[in-house]
């Protein structure tokens, strides 16, 4: 039906100025380790691991540094060859202070990559050993796949939309390794037993769409080009657009039989399953308004953000660093934080936003743009309220935290932040203060 | 027993690290919450665009009404800004929007007034708009009725004769072609209705700067009341030929009326500018004008014939081989304050519905009600009243136009 120009889309949302031109055409550049790496000893901050190396040990690239200490945890491998100096703590953007192993690279780059003919029952083991994570939802890949199998998921959607401004990591990945992405998608689809596999990607890149279609020819994967309207990339919105199914409030996408995986996980799975390499590098867009060589970088996990930024070259004093997209990312408070495995972008701005909130002027832009049909202004008043009614609680939980209401608000009201805080209170108990939490 | 990384580190963890994660959460300032970028279309930006649009319309009006119009606009703007400062001092809190807001309100009040109005009317209108229309309700964002129109209808009550003149024929002056901008409205030459050749062909004796003719909206009201008699079975022709100026004069703004009400072309340009900037939704003026045109087309007018009765579907009238019905509808659209209301007044964000769909309903109701009141009502400046009446129903419109929430379980019907 695409022939006739009818595009699948959703009500609400906004076409954002994308700021992608500077980074979209630059190939992914691998950052060579030039100093000590502070490799976090658990992939997603809270997953416990047991170190299997000691200070003074020499390790080679891909060698495990820590083994999982719980079923939902993952191996952590060395990003390069070198010597373990000590164990320490290090700041990360998403998880705060986490334990790490300090690895002094020797510059030899000796690798332990072995291409093993894995079998289907070793599939999950392979994902654990190579340390494949899914950034959204933040889980280990094997846990996500096991949950999908248990929930009887029949639809798999690969999310390569990346509709937030500045982000080009997924785009570059598709340009540089289209065939392996399709292959890894098929492997994961086989593993969960999906009946239908869709690969959602931006329709604006026509040549890339054609390339992906030709790579997917004869495979189970169906390439679905979608408009780059924000937040089309959010799983709830994506499921509604593609399947016309609404994820019930407070439930997960697995409950409606759908699994949406981000392209970053597919890329990691391709590295782990097809190349036999441990996932030790994060592919992230380094961009913003004050960098000399913005681009997509393949960065060893544990690289201090400061060193990465020195390499990219700031042109002006950086006032604000964001890990993740500009609308859903997390502010980086400390320049000594390190790059973690689930980082998708690092954005630097020379001017921090200085909102001066005034009264709501009833313009209705937030209502018009909300992708789930909420009235963010009415939810703003809930923050001051002692008790929250059942209806309001449902509304709060329906919010997908896309940040558009704050983005468009002419009164500069902190709508998204207030809704996030109130939702945390309504959901009961303190939860993580960081990142989108679907 | 497995030993985790945390266990190993516990041995040599410095004391300062205990609870460091909690500290990290606690010191996170609010500015670091997502989203980290904003669109940048602030209320100040919206007000500035509105001010530019209103200034453009005002300049066009000054061109046709001369110095008197400039004085009215200046007085209304200055008194609005002044009263905003005084109100801020008295209430000890800012009414919001800054002086640009007060300037926009004052300018719009000035645009609704004719250039012949006394200066004190403009001043009182602006002061009422700011002090009662805005500050009394608690400032920007809290009022329910458009402050500009609150000020306007109050002075309409207080100084009706000073604003619209005496007598059944509400006459007004407009500068003649050779004396634009520099002429004086007071040096006016009344023109016989029926003998008026149109603004561009008018020839005035020396010393006369302006022509005095009936306002188009007044002629339409008289027609609606059946006070324009049919001739030889022709109903609309006497109105169009004798009582109304040529339609191109209305388009140009060369007819008497409020400073900002008559410049139709300028209003359309200003409205398109606001729509282009994204600060006015096109649905509102479009629905308003469409509804007004439809109402003018179908609403019956009292027949002026001796036996009385009503004249139905005036838009379909064809007299002497010309489609006079369509001309009648077009005159309804450009006459009076309908276009000013559609492009600069009804779209005021605080007092209009939240969603585009609601604004379309709101605009359609205003447009239809304006024509209804023009044909059958008694009060003047009917579009202003229609807006104020519909402002009252905005919460109702908003409530009935809610979007369905994604994922909310629909109650089984």
């Amino acid at each position: 039906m695409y022939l006739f120009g009818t595009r699948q889309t959703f009500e609400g949302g906004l076409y954002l100025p994308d700021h992608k031109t500077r980074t979209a055409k630059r190939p992914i550049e691998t950052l060579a380790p030039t100093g000590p790496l502070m490799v976090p000893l658990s992939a997603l901050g809270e997953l416990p691991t047991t170190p299997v190396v000691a200070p003074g040990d020499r390790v080679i690239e891909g060698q495990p540094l820590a083994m999982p200490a719980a079923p939902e945890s993952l191996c952590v491998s060395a990003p390069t060859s070198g010597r373990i100096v000590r164990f320490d703590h290090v700041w990360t953007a998403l998880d705060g202070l986490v334990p790490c192993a300090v690895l002094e690279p020797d510059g030899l780059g000796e690798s332990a990559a072995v291409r093993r003919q894995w079998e289907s029952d070793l599939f999950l083991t392979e994902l654990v050993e190579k340390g494949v994570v899914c950034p959204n939802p933040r889980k280990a890949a094997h846990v996500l796949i096991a949950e999908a199998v248990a929930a009887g998921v029949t639809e798999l959607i690969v999310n390569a939309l990346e509709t937030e401004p500045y982000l080009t990591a997924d785009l570059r990945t598709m340009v540089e390794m289209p065939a392996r992405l399709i292959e890894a998608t098929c492997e994961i689809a086989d593993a969960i037993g999906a009946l239908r596999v869709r690969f959602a990607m931006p329709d604006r890149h026509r040549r890339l769409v054609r390339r992906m279609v030709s790579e997917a020819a004869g495979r189970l994967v169906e390439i679905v080009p979608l408009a780059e309207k924000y937040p089309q990339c959010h799983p709830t919105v994506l499921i509604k657009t593609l399947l016309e199914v609404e994820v019930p409030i407070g439930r997960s996408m697995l409950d409606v039989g759908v699994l949406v995986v981000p392209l970053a996980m597919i890329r990691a799975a391709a590295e782990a399953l097809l190349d036999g390499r441990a996932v030790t590098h994060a592919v992230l867009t380094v961009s913003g308004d004050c960098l000399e060589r913005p681009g997509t970088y393949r960065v060893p996990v544990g690289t201090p953000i400061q060193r990465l930024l020195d390499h990219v070259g700031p042109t002006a004093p950086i006032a604000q660093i964001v890990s993740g997209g500009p609308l859903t990312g997390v502010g980086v408070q400390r320049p000594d934080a390190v790059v973690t495995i689930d980082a998708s972008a690092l954005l630097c701005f020379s001017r921090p936003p200085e909102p001066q909130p005034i009264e709501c002027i009833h313009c209705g832009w937030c209502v018009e743009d909300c992708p789930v049909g909420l009235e963010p202004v009415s939810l703003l008043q809930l923050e001051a309220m002692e008790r929250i009614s059942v209806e309001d609680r449902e509304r709060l939980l329906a919010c997908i935290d896309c940040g558009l209401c704050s983005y468009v608000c002419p009164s500069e009201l902190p709508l998204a932040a207030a809704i996030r805080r109130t939702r945390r209170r309504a959901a009961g108990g303190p939860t993580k203060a960081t990142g989108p939490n679907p | 027993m497995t030993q985790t990384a945390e266990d190993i580190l516990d041995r040599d963890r410095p004391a300062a690290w205990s609870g460091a994660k909690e500290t990290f959460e606690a010191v996170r300032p609010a500015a670091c919450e997502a989203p980290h970028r904003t669109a940048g279309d602030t209320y100040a930006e919206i007000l500035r665009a509105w001010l530019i649009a209103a200034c453009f319309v005002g300049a066009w009006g000054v061109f046709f009404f001369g110095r008197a119009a400039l004085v009215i606009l200046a007085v209304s703007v200055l008194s609005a800004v002044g009263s905003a400062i005084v109100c801020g001092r008295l209430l000890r809190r800012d009414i919001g929007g800054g002086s640009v807001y007060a300037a926009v309100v004052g300018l719009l009040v000035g645009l609704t007034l004719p250039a012949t109005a006394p200066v004190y009317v403009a001043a009182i209108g602006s002061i009422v708009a700011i002090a009662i229309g805005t500050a009394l309700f608690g400032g920007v964002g809290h009022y329910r009725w458009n402050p500009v129109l609150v000020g306007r209808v109050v002075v309409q009550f207080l100084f009706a004769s000073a604003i619209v003149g005496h007598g059944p024929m509400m006459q007004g002056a407009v500068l003649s072609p050779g004396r634009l901008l520099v002429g004086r409205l007071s040096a006016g030459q009344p023109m016989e209705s029926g003998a008026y050749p149109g603004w561009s062909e008018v020839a005035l004796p020396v010393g006369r700067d302006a022509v005095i003719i009936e306002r188009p909206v007044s002629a339409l009201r008289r027609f609606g009341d059946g006070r324009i008699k049919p001739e030889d079975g022709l109903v609309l022709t006497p109105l169009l030929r004798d009582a109304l100026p040529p339609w191109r004069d209305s388009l140009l703004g060369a007819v008497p009326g409020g400073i900002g009400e008559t410049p139709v072309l300028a209003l359309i340009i200003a409205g398109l500018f606001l729509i282009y900037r994204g600060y006015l939704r096109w649905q509102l003026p479009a629905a308003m004008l469409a509804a007004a045109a439809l109402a003018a087309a179908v609403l019956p007018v009292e027949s002026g014939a001796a036996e009385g009765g009503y004249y139905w579907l005036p838009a379909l009238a064809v007299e002497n081989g010309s489609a006079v019905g369509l001309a009648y509808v077009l005159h309804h659209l450009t006459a009076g304050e309908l276009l000013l209301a559609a492009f600069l007044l009804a779209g005021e964000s605080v007092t209009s519905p939240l969603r585009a769909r609601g604004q379309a309903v709101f605009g359609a109701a205003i447009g239809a009600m304006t024509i209804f009141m023009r044909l059958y009502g008694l009060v003047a400046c009917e579009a202003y009243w229609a807006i104020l009446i519909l402002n009252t129903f905005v919460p109702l419109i908003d409530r009935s136009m809610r979007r369905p929430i994604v994922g909310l379980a629909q109650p089984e019907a």
Side-chain angles (χ1 to χ4, degrees):
Chain A
M1 288 306 101
Y2 190 60
L3 188 67
F4 302 104
T6 55
R7 294 201 288 197
Q8 288 174 298
T9 186
F10 61 100
E11 193 181 355
L14 200 61
Y15 290 90
L16 302 177
D18 71 352
H19 298 286
K20 295 190 191 200
T21 34
R22 285 189 76 193
T23 54
K25 301 246 165 170
R26 281 174 63 100
I28 298 176
E29 184 185 325
T30 302
L31 191 76
T34 53
L37 300 176
M38 265 73 84
V39 185
L41 281 179
S42 56
L44 295 176
E46 282 163 9
L47 303 178
T49 55
T50 310
V52 292
V53 289
D57 284 1
R58 181 166 189 279
V59 294
I60 58 173
E61 184 182 332
Q63 178 180 338
L65 300 180
M67 298 303 272
E72 71 275 11
S73 186
L74 286 163
C75 285
V76 176
S77 306
T80 183
S81 66
R83 202 166 286 283
I84 302 293
V85 181
R86 63 178 194 280
F87 289 112
D88 205 340
H89 276 89
V90 74
W91 288 96
T92 58
L94 284 167
D95 300 305
L97 205 55
V98 297
C100 76
V102 181
L103 171 65
E104 185 76 56
D106 55 14
L108 300 175
E110 272 183 82
S111 170
V114 232
R115 171 143 196 172
R116 194 163 68 192
Q117 199 61 45
W118 49 273
E119 293 150 26
S120 59
D121 50 337
L122 284 178
F123 182 83
L124 295 185
T125 320
E126 197 73 6
L127 293 179
V128 177
E129 279 180 10
K130 305 296 190 216
V132 179
V133 300
C134 175
N136 183 24
R138 281 190 93 216
K139 272 177 188 160
H142 68 279
V143 177
L144 190 66
I145 289 173
E147 283 177 5
V149 171
V153 162
T154 55
E155 303 264 357
L156 175 69
I157 301 174
V158 178
N159 182 358
L161 278 163
E162 215 175 33
T163 50
E164 271 190 85
Y166 293 103
L167 308 190
T168 51
D170 287 359
L171 179 68
R172 286 314 305 178
T173 310
M174 281 191 286
V175 169
E176 297 185 16
M177 44 187 285
R180 286 191 297 158
L181 287 178
I182 297 291
E183 206 170 334
T185 306
C186 290
E187 297 296 350
I188 289 173
D190 285 352
I192 66 169
L195 299 177
R196 194 160 178 198
V197 185
R198 292 179 176 85
F199 191 102
M201 61 182 295
D203 64 355
R204 198 168 50 136
H205 310 287
R206 295 296 171 94
R207 283 167 65 190
L208 188 57
V209 171
R210 282 205 294 275
R211 177 75 201 272
M212 296 304 288
V213 167
S214 67
E215 293 292 350
R219 311 299 289 267
L220 183 67
V221 182
E222 178 191 347
I223 307 293
V224 189
L226 290 176
E228 272 191 306
K229 183 158 79 163
Y230 184 79
Q232 182 71 80
C233 55
H234 193 281
T236 305
V237 180
L238 193 56
I239 290 171
K240 183 162 189 290
T241 308
L242 290 181
L243 309 175
E244 290 171 5
V245 170
E246 294 182 3
V247 179
I249 291 170
R251 311 289 293 278
S252 108
M253 57 188 173
L254 299 179
D255 295 332
V256 291
V258 189
L259 176 64
V260 178
V261 294
L263 191 77
M265 177 182 143
I266 300 289
R267 175 186 52 76
E271 278 182 18
L273 301 174
L274 309 176
D275 307 345
R277 277 189 307 181
V279 183
T280 56
H281 287 62
V283 174
L284 70 168
T285 309
V286 185
S287 187
D289 60 1
C290 55
L291 294 176
E292 200 181 322
R293 290 182 302 279
T296 310
Y297 289 84
R298 197 166 164 275
V299 183
V301 167
T303 308
I305 284 173
Q306 190 64 57
R307 196 186 302 157
L308 174 60
L309 293 182
D310 286 346
H311 179 79
V312 179
T315 56
I318 296 171
Q320 187 192 16
I321 304 176
V322 178
S323 171
L327 274 85
T328 56
V330 178
V332 179
Q333 310 286 295
R334 306 173 59 101
D336 56 345
V338 297
V339 172
T340 52
I341 192 73
D342 55 339
S344 65
L346 197 66
L347 305 177
C348 304
F349 300 107
S350 57
R351 209 165 40 80
E354 284 152 5
Q356 288 155 346
I358 57 170
E359 293 290 332
C360 169
I361 58 158
H362 210 255
C363 64
W365 292 352
C366 55
V367 180
E368 210 69 82
D369 292 338
C370 179
V372 290
L374 296 170
E375 281 182 19
V377 195
S378 61
L379 298 179
L380 185 67
Q381 298 154 357
L382 295 178
E383 199 180 18
M385 282 188 194
E386 197 68 27
R387 296 170 62 87
I388 296 171
S389 70
V390 179
E391 291 84 24
D392 286 334
R393 189 171 171 274
E394 278 202 319
R395 290 207 186 94
L396 286 168
L397 295 179
C399 170
I400 62 170
D401 209 354
C402 67
L404 263 187
C405 42
S406 289
Y407 176 82
V408 297
C409 183
S411 300
E412 302 188 303
L413 293 167
L415 294 164
I419 292 171
R420 200 174 302 136
R421 281 195 294 272
T422 320
R423 185 182 46 192
R424 220 174 288 143
R425 189 161 61 99
T431 54
K432 269 185 298 180
T434 52
N437 206 357
Chain B
M1 182 195 146
T2 53
Q3 200 180 21
T4 66
E6 287 284 352
D7 297 333
I8 292 176
L9 279 161
D10 268 342
R11 276 178 309 209
D12 49 5
R13 181 198 289 245
W17 275 348
S18 54
K21 190 167 179 180
E22 287 69 36
T23 320
F24 184 72
E25 304 276 333
V27 299
R28 185 188 298 272
C32 288
E33 293 257 18
H36 303 278
R37 296 287 101 179
T38 55
D41 284 322
T42 59
Y43 187 44
E45 204 66 35
I46 299 176
L47 285 174
R48 211 168 301 144
W50 224 268
L51 189 66
I52 291 169
C55 278
F56 177 67
V57 174
W60 197 295
V62 168
F63 207 59
F64 279 95
F65 297 112
R67 227 173 339 173
L70 194 62
V71 171
I72 292 275
L73 294 181
V75 166
S76 54
V77 168
L78 290 178
S79 51
V81 173
S83 56
I85 293 169
V86 171
C87 283
R89 288 273 165 78
L90 287 180
L91 299 173
R92 294 206 175 79
R93 66 186 281 263
D94 194 19
I95 63 164
S99 54
V100 183
Y101 170 78
V104 170
V105 169
L107 191 54
L108 288 175
V109 169
L111 289 181
T112 63
L113 294 169
T116 46
V119 169
Y120 60 84
V121 171
I124 290 172
S126 290
I127 291 167
V128 169
I130 292 291
I132 296 177
T134 307
L136 198 67
F137 286 90
V140 172
H142 295 289
Y143 46 79
R144 177 160 297 171
W145 291 278
N146 194 327
V148 176
L149 300 181
V150 170
R152 178 60 170 85
V153 299
V154 166
V155 295
Q156 177 75 29
F157 268 128
L158 296 179
F159 312 106
S161 60
I163 295 174
V164 296
H166 302 278
M169 309 256 285
M170 294 192 294
Q171 287 186 321
V174 61
L175 293 178
S176 64
R179 305 291 295 162
L180 283 177
L181 197 61
V182 292
R184 285 169 304 121
L185 278 185
S186 49
Q189 172 79 25
M191 303 294 280
E192 275 298 313
S193 65
Y196 183 58
W199 179 75
S200 52
E201 277 102 50
V202 76
L204 292 178
V206 178
R208 294 291 175 182
D209 291 343
V211 287
I212 295 177
I213 52 171
E214 187 184 12
R215 294 183 185 197
V217 65
S218 149
L220 288 169
R221 293 184 80 110
R222 282 198 299 137
F223 179 72
D225 293 344
R227 277 185 281 151
I228 294 181
K229 300 286 175 227
E231 288 172 13
D232 311 330
L234 303 179
V235 181
L236 289 168
T237 307
L239 166 77
L240 296 171
R241 189 189 58 208
D242 299 336
L244 286 169
W247 190 62
R248 59 169 190 278
D249 289 1
S250 298
L251 209 57
L252 196 63
V255 291
I259 300 167
E261 290 169 357
T262 55
V264 170
L265 272 182
L267 283 167
I268 292 171
I269 293 168
L272 290 179
F273 166 72
L274 289 176
I275 290 169
Y276 166 72
R277 291 291 299 270
Y279 301 149
L280 174 69
R281 296 201 180 102
W282 64 268
Q283 286 93 339
L284 196 157
M288 191 161 158
L289 295 180
L294 191 70
V298 300
L299 285 180
V301 290
E302 236 173 280
S303 168
E307 63 270 25
Y310 281 91
Y311 185 69
W312 288 87
L313 280 177
L316 297 182
V318 176
E319 289 169 10
N320 288 340
S322 59
V324 285
L326 293 180
Y328 166 76
V329 172
L330 283 178
H331 271 291
H332 260 300
L333 291 185
T334 56
E337 58 287 328
L338 189 70
L339 279 168
L340 178 68
F343 285 121
L344 289 180
L345 294 173
E348 205 271 338
S349 68
V350 182
T351 54
S352 60
L354 284 171
R355 298 188 57 202
R357 204 173 292 183
Q359 293 203 346
V361 171
F362 175 77
I366 292 171
M369 193 180 277
T370 301
I371 301 299
F372 186 87
M373 290 165 81
R374 186 177 287 171
L375 292 179
Y376 313 121
L378 288 173
V379 293
C381 49
E382 51 279 346
Y384 301 157
W385 279 107
I387 291 177
L388 287 174
I389 291 167
L390 262 294
N391 281 163
T392 319
F393 293 104
V394 162
L396 200 66
I397 296 172
D398 279 341
R399 216 172 307 147
S400 60
M401 293 278 167
R402 285 216 176 122
R403 283 173 56 190
I405 296 173
V406 172
L408 192 67
Q410 300 299 323
E412 278 89 30

